[in-house]
Amino acid sequence: MSLFDQKLSTLQESLHKKEITVSDLVDESYKRIAQVEDKVQAFLTLDEERARQKAIELDQKLGTDDANGLLFGMPIGIKDNIVTRNLRTTAASKILENFDPIYDATVVQKLQAADSITIGKLNMDEFAMGSSTENSGFQKTKNPWNLETVPGGSSGGSAAAVAAGEVLFSLGSDTGGSIRQPASFCGVVGLKPTYGRVSRFGLIAFASSLDQIGPITRTVEDNAYLLQAISGLDAMDSTSANVDVPNFVQSLTGDVKGLKIAVPKEYLGEGVKEEVKQSVLDALKTLEKLGATWEEVSLPHSKYALATYYLLSSSEASANLARFDGVRYGYRSPNAENLMDLYKNTRAEGFGEEVKRRIMLGTFALSSGYYDAYYKKAQKVRTLIKQDFENIFAKYDVIVGPTTPTPAFKIGENTADPMTMYLNDILTIPVNLAGVPGISVPCGFSNGLPLGLQIIGKHFDESTVYRVAHAFEQATDFHKQKPQL
């Protein structure tokens, strides 16, 4: 039995009793990576020397008052678009293949303050643009449940590493479902917090009004511990919210009696596979037995969410990615005779196809004569989508539905069809547009591949989302099943 089969709280207890050491946990991580990484390919960079050195230092603190952090000594993987000082950070793009940041992202600083240990940086779709981790500039991560299928994206490496037992938990980022969708495909727990709950300082931007860092874990309880550690106001991020951070773990009571659940008919409609619908209906029956009630509702503007998202996110991406020009840092084309050539050739050679596609779309939507017709209209529809959620939350505590319309698909199956690939995020995108929190928890299997249940909450009400997710998790055993690599 792996140490990582145990909950964080159990491991902490074992550490304090000196039944295990921090070095044991780090050994477990690198031993597992050595066993399965050639199959899964979740990591882009490992930080083994520093991780082992830090483990030795933390072992000397065991038994003292300095060993009481929530995440003390726990091994974690970091998505490769979250900057780490003196540890290569590429956003899975050739344009940043030799980039060593000179500072840590705020979430990384918080993890270090909690004495967790960074094992390495995790693969992703380039600049977080994709739903399968096939758009990485370096390698394709595989789904540990079936190595012929994708792990989801863009945080595919983050989800696959946790599912494969390479790390206890990881950080991902979610712009349109990039934590929840791979969590669903890989059978783990992934939360997108409320926009502003977690600092974005040090997150390489894709779409700044949508991006949010969040935790990927084996259990809901571990997820709550990790969110606790990374949440809070940050003076370095003007979009981080000045709201209290509650004790999320205290909300895991298992009690959902009297809770009112809304189930949008649009989330169980066309395009959602029958086995996915059935797993959600079965999950609702479980929650009903626990004392909750549910009703069908409508989110009428959700049908416009996909178009709205791709216009807004691509527009923001075209602005954010303008900084990668070969002048200040990152890749610089050797094939340039003048400044204009330098810009064009660096970006043509450094960016992948999907990134170029979105830059082109975003630049078009923001261009003179098209701005009002596309970008401005999309912003108006975004407001309508947000109002839909507010109307539902005036009467209900949470919204429940599937995380993805299908289980994981085969590697290469959708690469030639961008629209089919984009449709994978159709159930997760509205949450980002509205800025509300959402979690994916395992709720079933289809032909041996995991399915995810999505639970969506009110702004800054992650506590209720966790309460429902934990109650469901405790009443089922889907989270206990592991891929056999």
Side-chain angles (χ1 to χ4, degrees):
M1 181 178 174
S2 166
L3 287 172
F4 295 167
D5 290 338
Q6 299 176 54
K7 293 190 303 183
L8 192 158
S9 53
T10 308
L11 289 174
Q12 286 288 3
E13 196 177 312
S14 298
L15 276 176
H16 293 314
K17 289 179 178 173
K18 296 194 175 179
E19 295 168 352
I20 58 170
T21 65
V22 176
S23 293
D24 290 336
L25 293 170
V26 171
D27 283 344
E28 183 86 18
S29 190
Y30 285 116
K31 181 176 150 196
R32 182 65 173 165
I33 288 168
Q35 288 171 342
V36 303
E37 182 57 18
D38 61 328
K39 299 174 189 165
V40 178
Q41 294 188 284
F43 282 91
L44 288 176
T45 307
L46 294 173
D47 198 21
E48 186 166 358
E49 187 179 334
R50 281 195 295 184
R52 291 191 182 280
Q53 183 57 44
K54 185 170 182 184
I56 292 167
E57 291 167 12
L58 294 182
D59 281 337
Q60 290 165 0
K61 291 185 181 180
L62 284 174
T64 72
D65 291 340
D66 293 331
N68 289 326
L70 278 174
L71 306 178
F72 181 86
M74 296 296 142
I76 187 168
I78 309 286
K79 187 175 178 178
D80 204 34
N81 60 346
I82 298 170
V83 301
T84 43
R85 186 169 177 267
N86 296 329
L87 179 60
R88 194 178 64 167
T89 302
T90 69
S93 178
K94 298 278 188 190
I95 212 160
L96 284 176
E97 62 184 341
N98 295 315
F99 179 51
D100 290 322
I102 58 172
Y103 69 98
D104 282 314
T106 297
V107 290
V108 175
Q109 290 174 15
K110 289 187 176 228
L111 290 171
Q112 288 174 347
D115 281 329
S116 73
I117 296 181
T118 299
I119 294 298
K121 305 299 290 292
L122 291 156
N123 195 27
M124 55 184 282
D125 286 298
E126 184 181 5
F127 285 105
M129 297 179 189
S131 306
S132 64
T133 313
E134 292 172 284
N135 294 330
S136 168
F138 304 107
Q139 63 195 38
K140 287 181 172 66
T141 299
K142 318 294 194 303
N143 190 323
W145 291 89
N146 180 339
L147 297 171
E148 293 181 0
T149 62
V150 300
S154 62
S155 307
S158 298
V162 174
E166 294 179 297
V167 284
L168 189 61
F169 34 53
S170 65
L171 288 186
S173 69
D174 193 310
T175 308
S178 290
I179 287 172
R180 289 158 291 148
Q181 188 248 23
S184 174
F185 280 6
C186 291
V188 292
V189 178
L191 175 93
K192 183 209 90 76
T194 307
Y195 184 81
R197 170 68 82 190
V198 177
S199 171
R200 291 185 303 109
F201 179 72
L203 173 67
I204 296 173
F206 163 16
S208 306
S209 75
L210 299 159
D211 298 338
Q212 189 64 181
I213 295 169
I216 297 176
T217 58
R218 292 287 298 275
T219 68
V220 174
E221 184 183 298
D222 287 0
N223 206 279
Y225 274 119
L226 190 47
L227 183 64
Q228 190 85 44
I230 63 174
S231 293
L233 180 67
D234 179 19
M236 301 298 286
D237 175 11
S238 61
T239 63
S240 104
N242 187 9
V243 294
D244 289 337
V245 179
N247 186 325
F248 296 119
V249 179
Q250 284 183 353
S251 65
L252 309 181
T253 60
D255 180 19
V256 291
K257 285 193 178 93
L259 194 102
K260 294 171 78 175
I261 298 169
V263 181
K265 62 183 181 184
E266 292 83 2
Y267 285 21
L268 294 173
E270 189 183 347
V272 179
K273 285 214 163 173
E274 198 54 46
E275 61 265 39
V276 175
K277 287 183 199 173
Q278 194 54 54
S279 72
V280 171
L281 293 172
D282 291 345
L284 288 167
K285 283 178 192 168
T286 300
L287 291 167
E288 266 187 319
K289 284 179 190 167
L290 295 171
T293 59
W294 68 274
E295 291 175 10
E296 190 179 84
V297 298
S298 178
L299 291 169
H301 296 98
S302 59
K303 61 186 173 186
Y304 306 116
L306 200 68
T308 300
Y309 169 80
Y310 278 100
L311 280 168
L312 294 179
S313 64
S314 298
S315 296
E316 293 184 27
S318 77
N320 278 326
L321 270 60
R323 70 194 71 176
F324 302 104
D325 55 11
V327 175
R328 285 157 290 215
Y329 53 84
Y331 173 77
R332 175 181 291 202
S333 173
N335 311 309
E337 296 179 5
N338 54 52
L339 186 62
M340 194 54 70
D341 276 355
L342 176 68
Y343 290 154
K344 287 199 289 191
N345 294 347
T346 294
R347 292 164 70 79
E349 294 161 20
F351 287 139
E353 291 304 310
E354 183 60 32
V355 173
K356 290 176 189 171
R357 186 182 288 123
R358 298 201 197 192
I359 290 172
M360 297 279 282
L361 173 61
T363 305
F364 174 79
L366 291 172
S367 61
S368 177
Y370 297 101
Y371 178 89
D372 284 357
Y374 293 104
Y375 182 77
K376 190 175 177 183
K377 186 174 280 186
Q379 288 287 27
K380 289 178 176 179
V381 177
R382 181 179 187 172
T383 301
L384 294 174
I385 290 167
K386 181 171 175 284
Q387 287 171 354
D388 283 349
F389 279 97
E390 288 167 354
N391 293 337
I392 297 298
F393 285 133
K395 300 174 191 169
Y396 299 91
D397 298 301
V398 291
I399 294 170
V400 167
T403 308
T404 59
T406 68
F409 48 89
K410 288 205 166 168
I411 293 167
E413 190 177 322
N414 295 328
T415 45
D417 185 357
M419 274 310 297
T420 301
M421 190 72 85
Y422 295 168
L423 285 165
N424 278 285
D425 296 332
I426 197 162
L427 301 172
T428 51
I429 279 170
V431 171
N432 297 78
L433 292 171
V436 292
I439 197 170
S440 179
V441 291
C443 72
F445 290 88
S446 172
N447 295 321
L449 292 168
L451 303 173
L453 182 74
Q454 183 173 212
I455 302 159
I456 303 163
K458 302 172 186 176
H459 283 101
F460 298 106
D461 191 17
E462 286 87 355
S463 293
T464 301
V465 171
Y466 276 139
R467 181 157 61 98
V468 178
H470 182 255
F472 174 74
E473 181 187 75
Q474 296 308 298
T476 58
D477 64 357
F478 301 117
H479 66 290
K480 294 177 182 173
Q481 300 187 45
K482 294 189 306 177
Q484 299 303 310
L485 274 165

